[in-house]
Amino acid sequence: MRSYINELYARIEKDAELKNNVKIIGIAVGNNTNDIAFEEKKYDFPILADDKLEFHQLVGEPPTPFFIFARPYGKGRLLVLDSYLGRLEDTDKLFSMVKSAFKMSTTKSFVTINKKTDDKVREELVIPVTESELMKKVSLSLVVEGEHPDKIKKINLKELGDVYTGVAGRSKRRIFARVVARKIPCVDCHDVFYIYSFDDTGKFIKFIPISISKLNNEEWDEKDINKIQNNFNGKSLLKERHFNPKVDAISSATISSKLIYNSMGETELVMRKLIDMGYIKR
């Protein structure tokens, strides 16, 4: 992508109308500052790290590349003027889109018409298994000390998805299983679906994939699954864990692995919701 984006940057810098009014910023989805240090040398414009995928989630978790044309709009806000999803190596077309977006940004009527009053509801991903198959996996994730939970209850946490809970084990511990569905930031990749379970202290118990693929749409094998299980086994999910792709990633599934770590990092937020709802006593 380097050549045509750099060419677009050069054309903007040479245009008297755009030079001081239009800037290009790259967002490196799922990468930290160390990851992008080398990549930054390839581009003539700044690249910002989105290690925790916060920006990616904010814009609806689209595949990449994804172009957003926006202008400042009020304190700390941006107004989207146009967008384009997919690889667009036509610099002339990109430059034309920049020109059009810039002209829109100076039109008062456009700002008035397009002012948003409500957040757009994010499109929900559909779990690619039947309800019966899903419940089998959920039940398996809630097994403690060889015992299945007596009763399983479903809790909807809205944007955080569904969490199932039950009491299991000799100590009659309350266990939670979160079903995760995540859009993957890659045009050629498939979305990620999995379950992970934890107890009422935030301690990890089990990882069970629903549908996770790697290169060439190959499903994860037992070795891949065990690597995630062993990486988290017996550890607290309430402690921030930095994802190191060289150590933690499944071969040929780096982005999927990153998303799994990212979602498990939301466990503290999940538990706060469960505490507020009375499922966890404090």
Side-chain angles (χ1 to χ4, degrees):
M1 186 167 67
R2 174 193 176 190
S3 58
Y4 76 94
I5 297 297
N6 277 345
E7 183 181 338
L8 174 65
Y9 173 83
R11 290 182 66 171
I12 290 172
E13 289 298 297
K14 291 178 182 177
D15 188 286
E17 185 180 37
L18 302 181
K19 182 177 180 180
N20 295 318
N21 294 298
V22 177
K23 301 298 178 184
I24 296 178
I25 298 174
I27 307 294
V29 176
N31 298 115
N32 58 38
T33 52
N34 292 328
D35 298 330
I36 66 174
F38 176 75
E39 292 297 321
E40 282 185 301
K41 298 176 183 178
K42 299 179 183 178
Y43 299 94
D44 300 326
F45 51 88
I47 299 177
L48 305 179
D50 186 24
D51 185 23
K52 297 182 179 179
L53 296 100
E54 293 172 331
F55 179 80
H56 184 243
Q57 289 180 306
L58 185 64
V59 297
E61 299 183 308
T64 57
F66 181 49
F67 297 89
I68 299 176
F69 303 85
R71 57 153 285 184
Y73 181 59
K75 187 176 181 181
R77 299 165 64 193
L78 291 174
L79 178 70
V80 176
L81 304 167
D82 199 359
S83 63
Y84 185 88
L85 177 62
R87 192 175 294 278
L88 182 60
E89 299 193 20
D90 185 337
T91 310
D92 290 334
K93 186 172 181 178
L94 271 174
F95 187 71
S96 177
M97 292 178 75
V98 171
K99 277 274 194 180
S100 296
F102 176 70
K103 290 178 181 178
M104 285 182 198
S105 71
T106 60
T107 305
K108 186 176 181 179
S109 60
F110 177 86
V111 174
T112 303
I113 292 171
N114 288 274
K115 183 178 179 180
K116 290 187 177 181
T117 56
D118 298 300
D119 291 334
K120 184 178 179 181
V121 178
R122 185 180 302 166
E123 179 185 353
E124 290 188 10
L125 292 173
V126 178
I127 306 292
V129 294
T130 65
E131 184 67 22
S132 175
E133 291 172 323
L134 176 62
M135 287 310 300
K136 287 179 182 178
K137 291 179 181 292
V138 167
S139 179
L140 183 60
S141 70
L142 292 171
V143 172
V144 176
E145 298 169 346
E147 292 187 13
H148 287 267
D150 47 5
K151 294 180 181 179
I152 298 177
K153 182 176 181 178
K154 179 180 177 179
I155 309 166
N156 180 259
L157 297 182
K158 297 182 179 180
E159 72 278 3
L160 291 171
D162 292 330
V163 172
Y164 295 80
T165 185
V167 175
R170 291 184 294 276
S171 59
K172 298 301 178 184
R173 300 158 60 195
R174 179 158 292 282
I175 309 300
F176 300 90
R178 183 186 178 205
V179 177
V180 178
R182 292 289 298 269
K183 292 181 181 179
I184 199 164
C186 170
V187 173
D188 302 318
C189 305
H190 294 269
D191 298 318
V192 172
F193 304 88
Y194 74 98
I195 301 167
Y196 73 96
S197 56
F198 54 94
D199 66 15
D200 58 6
T201 68
K203 187 176 180 180
F204 172 85
I205 297 174
K206 195 168 295 183
F207 167 78
I208 296 181
I210 298 173
S211 178
I212 310 176
S213 60
K214 47 190 177 183
L215 191 65
N216 299 321
N217 198 26
E218 181 183 346
E219 287 291 317
W220 281 25
D221 56 29
E222 203 65 32
K223 181 180 178 182
D224 300 329
I225 297 168
N226 287 338
K227 181 171 182 177
I228 297 295
Q229 177 69 36
N230 293 333
N231 281 356
F232 285 93
N233 201 26
K235 297 176 181 177
S236 173
L237 294 172
L238 304 184
K239 296 180 180 179
E240 186 173 0
R241 184 183 174 100
H242 173 67
F243 175 75
N244 183 345
K246 294 181 180 179
V247 177
D248 301 318
I250 301 300
S251 179
S252 302
T254 301
I255 299 177
S256 297
S257 304
K258 172 69 180 183
L259 282 178
I260 289 169
Y261 273 70
N262 178 259
S263 293
M264 289 197 188
E266 297 173 336
T267 304
E268 183 176 1
L269 182 56
V270 170
M271 289 188 65
R272 285 181 195 165
K273 296 270 188 181
L274 293 171
I275 291 171
D276 291 341
M277 298 170 76
Y279 289 102
I280 296 178
K281 306 299 181 182
R282 285 288 183 267

